[in-house]
Amino acid sequence: MLNRLKELQIEAINEISNTTDLKELNDLRVKYLGKKGPIQEVMKNMKDMQPEERKSAGAVSNEVKNAISAAIETKKEELEALAIQQKLANETIDVTLPGRTVNIGVTHPLQAVTNELESLFISMGYTVEEGPEVEWDHYNFELLNLPKGHPARDMQDSFYITEESLLRTHTSPVQARVLEAAKGKGPIKIICPGKVYRRDDDDATHSHQFTQIEGLVVDTDVTMADLKGTLLELARQMFGQDREIRLRPSFFPFTEPSVEVDVTCSKCGGCGCNICKGTGWIEILGAGMVHPNVLEMSGFDSKVYQGFAFGIGAERIAMLKYGIEDIRNFYTNDLRFINQFK
Ligand code: DAH
């Protein structure tokens, strides 16, 4: 019987040392040391033994159990350490692997112009406002001093949706909305970038949808000199610090007086080239002093408040700034065009 116990010890330790995983090891613990294990089985015969014999059999069986237990413990530590090693090895980071390339997009030139103008005007204390693209006739025309039947409505061929609503033909209706919301109290200093729509046939310089940036300043002490200073700053920011501007008389129903603004040609510097058609000047935007009717219709006292306004075509600025010859390039999403602005 003692021999059988020793045999079991050798057998168990053999199996334990050949194990390679923790689950298997646990099965061996149950197999050899559990209640139904072979050692318990052998010990059942103890009841037939002499007391002396029984005593030494008890001692040997304890030794065998302890030896198996110890072997299992040692193996367990070994396997656990190995598992940690393996986990660490699997998780090592190869710092020499080249990085994955991320394709970074390009800011669209119209967005770039808009961003640049927004930061310029924000730095001068303006806030950025927005308005709806589907607009009421009331804001798009009437509150801007363009009553129904006014001949100047023909300057802006419109996409009407109903008799009273249309796709806005300019960003000027945001002026009317902001004035109305201010309830007769200034000051107001806003710009408003956004899409506008006109029933034009598309060609190299016309598009049925384009981008405008409207500006409006209303306060108690605003003059044409403020307008001119602001526009000079704008021209220099967009086209270079040595640019000059000139104001030519013009007409818009919502401003009086109205002006068209030219900047000295940035290609030839003013001496005349193909870009400025030999004149040295390039038209960049329309502007003027807010018409008293516009102020009054939106609840401002025109004896107390004056204002100036301007409307910039973002496409026009971008075309001049980057030498783009066809306005349709902005809308066709051709990556060969867009990637040039990296
Ligand atoms: N709304 C005009 C247009 O689309 C542009 C414009 C001109 C806006 C003069 C203004 C302005 O605010 O004062 O043709």
Side-chain angles (χ1 to χ4, degrees):
M1 171 177 169
L2 294 182
N3 284 348
R4 177 67 193 132
L5 284 173
K6 285 288 173 199
E7 262 170 38
L8 277 172
Q9 177 176 344
I10 291 164
E11 197 182 305
I13 285 175
N14 225 344
E15 267 194 88
I16 289 164
S17 69
N18 288 334
T19 313
T20 53
D21 85 38
L22 285 161
K23 158 114 190 26
E24 225 174 84
L25 186 66
N26 200 45
D27 291 346
L28 290 176
R29 180 198 303 280
V30 176
K31 174 173 168 190
Y32 285 101
L33 303 178
K35 290 225 161 56
K36 289 179 186 148
I39 299 176
Q40 294 303 113
E41 204 53 42
V42 174
M43 298 311 282
K44 274 185 190 154
N45 302 330
M46 280 200 350
K47 59 183 186 308
D48 309 325
M49 288 178 187
Q50 298 301 314
E52 271 308 298
E53 217 183 344
R54 191 182 300 154
K55 201 171 157 195
S56 67
V60 172
S61 95
N62 278 340
E63 264 170 40
V64 170
K65 279 195 233 167
N66 288 343
I68 295 176
S69 265
I72 288 175
E73 250 349 274
T74 317
K75 188 71 182 180
K76 191 173 161 220
E77 276 164 28
E78 203 179 286
L79 288 178
E80 278 171 353
L82 201 73
I84 289 173
Q85 289 294 323
Q86 258 163 11
K87 194 156 183 262
L88 285 176
N90 286 340
E91 286 172 5
T92 45
I93 294 166
D94 181 355
V95 291
T96 65
L97 267 183
R100 292 196 188 106
T101 32
V102 177
N103 275 330
I104 296 174
V106 184
T107 306
H108 191 279
L110 287 178
Q111 190 61 50
V113 164
T114 306
N115 291 350
E116 208 177 321
L117 285 168
E118 277 187 13
S119 16
L120 171 69
F121 281 102
I122 287 169
S123 79
M124 296 199 283
Y126 290 60
T127 55
V128 179
E129 297 289 336
E130 283 184 2
E133 288 174 31
V134 175
E135 185 54 286
W136 298 111
D137 184 281
H138 181 67
Y139 291 107
N140 194 80
F141 288 130
E142 302 228 356
L143 285 185
L144 294 170
N145 207 24
L146 276 146
K148 291 221 167 70
H150 193 292
R153 283 196 178 207
D154 301 341
M155 284 161 74
Q156 304 186 356
D157 248 339
S158 321
F159 288 114
Y160 271 90
I161 293 167
T162 66
E163 241 174 64
E164 294 303 331
S165 64
L166 71 165
L167 294 179
R168 67 178 177 192
T169 55
H170 48 179
T171 42
S172 304
V174 184
Q175 277 193 33
R177 286 177 171 273
V178 169
L179 284 171
E180 186 182 70
K183 297 199 162 66
K185 238 180 102 45
I188 292 171
K189 273 178 106 174
I190 57 131
I191 59 161
C192 161
K195 292 193 184 83
V196 300
Y197 304 83
R198 299 225 185 138
R199 245 174 40 195
D200 268 332
D201 288 331
D202 292 0
D203 62 25
T205 54
H206 294 85
S207 169
H208 61 281
Q209 180 230 291
F210 57 103
T211 315
Q212 279 192 342
I213 299 160
E214 187 80 9
L216 172 71
V217 171
V218 173
D219 208 343
T220 52
D221 200 13
V222 180
T223 70
M224 197 100 182
D226 298 315
L227 172 62
K228 191 172 180 193
T230 306
L231 296 176
L232 181 60
E233 206 44 59
L234 185 160
R236 291 189 169 166
Q237 165 77 30
M238 298 316 282
F239 299 108
Q241 286 305 317
D242 50 355
R243 298 275 76 78
E244 295 296 340
I245 59 166
R246 72 176 182 190
L247 309 186
R248 279 181 292 110
S250 183
F251 172 77
F252 299 104
F254 28 87
T255 44
E256 182 58 38
S258 304
V259 292
E260 224 120 30
V261 182
D262 296 343
V263 60
T264 46
C265 179
S266 44
K267 187 174 173 206
C268 63
C271 39
C273 67
N274 61 331
I275 301 276
C276 57
K277 302 199 180 81
T279 65
W281 295 95
I282 296 173
E283 184 191 323
I284 54 165
L285 57 94
M289 300 304 291
V290 181
H291 197 294
N293 287 356
V294 171
L295 291 170
E296 295 286 343
M297 275 189 283
S298 295
F300 273 76
D301 184 345
S302 65
K303 301 234 167 36
V304 179
Y305 284 101
Q306 312 82 45
F308 66 73
F310 52 87
I312 311 168
E315 282 81 357
R316 178 147 182 83
I317 301 283
M319 285 169 89
L320 291 170
K321 201 170 154 73
Y322 303 120
I324 298 162
E325 278 166 10
D326 193 321
I327 197 170
R328 291 168 290 198
N329 282 325
F330 291 119
Y331 318 113
T332 44
N333 289 333
D334 186 333
L335 287 178
R336 290 169 303 178
F337 170 73
I338 303 206
N339 283 332
Q340 292 178 65
F341 299 93
K342 272 213 168 116

